[in-house]
Amino acid sequence: MMQFFAEWFAWRPYRCALVALVLSAMLFLPRHKTWAKICIGAAALTWWYLTYTEATTPRGFAIRIDFVFLSRAATATAIVALIAMALGWKRSA
């Protein structure tokens, strides 16, 4: 999982920003319950922070401990947000 994450998102802030933008857009849709919006918002904030980190970290840093920990948090919050999107959908009465 870390190999995949590193190949797709390390040193590519535009890909991180795309995920963060999709999560942010989902946050403003009126079709999710409040607890689902909180989970989606937490995931969006994590991904925006990952975007900022990837955009401002110089290429000279060979060891990326921050990326290792932050990528796990971003993956975990994204999974929780996907589950929240699926389960937190408001049903029409």
Side-chain angles (χ1 to χ4, degrees):
M1 184 66 143
M2 290 298 295
Q3 176 90 18
F4 169 77
F5 197 90
E7 287 176 5
W8 276 83
F9 297 110
W11 306 115
R12 294 176 181 91
Y14 57 90
R15 288 183 180 176
C16 300
L18 183 64
V19 174
L21 188 63
V22 168
L23 287 170
S24 296
M26 294 298 291
L27 181 63
F28 293 106
L29 290 178
R31 299 290 302 177
H32 293 97
K33 295 179 183 175
T34 304
W35 64 270
K37 287 185 178 188
I38 291 171
C39 293
I40 296 167
L45 284 176
T46 304
W47 277 90
W48 280 119
Y49 183 70
L50 181 64
T51 302
Y52 170 77
T53 303
E54 290 303 306
T56 58
T57 302
R59 284 275 195 183
F61 286 2
I63 299 174
R64 297 285 311 276
I65 299 300
D66 62 330
F67 182 75
V68 171
F69 291 120
L70 191 55
S71 64
R72 290 180 182 165
T75 303
T77 57
I79 290 171
V80 169
L82 287 173
I83 293 169
M85 280 185 233
L87 298 178
W89 194 263
K90 289 182 182 176
R91 310 269 191 290
S92 298

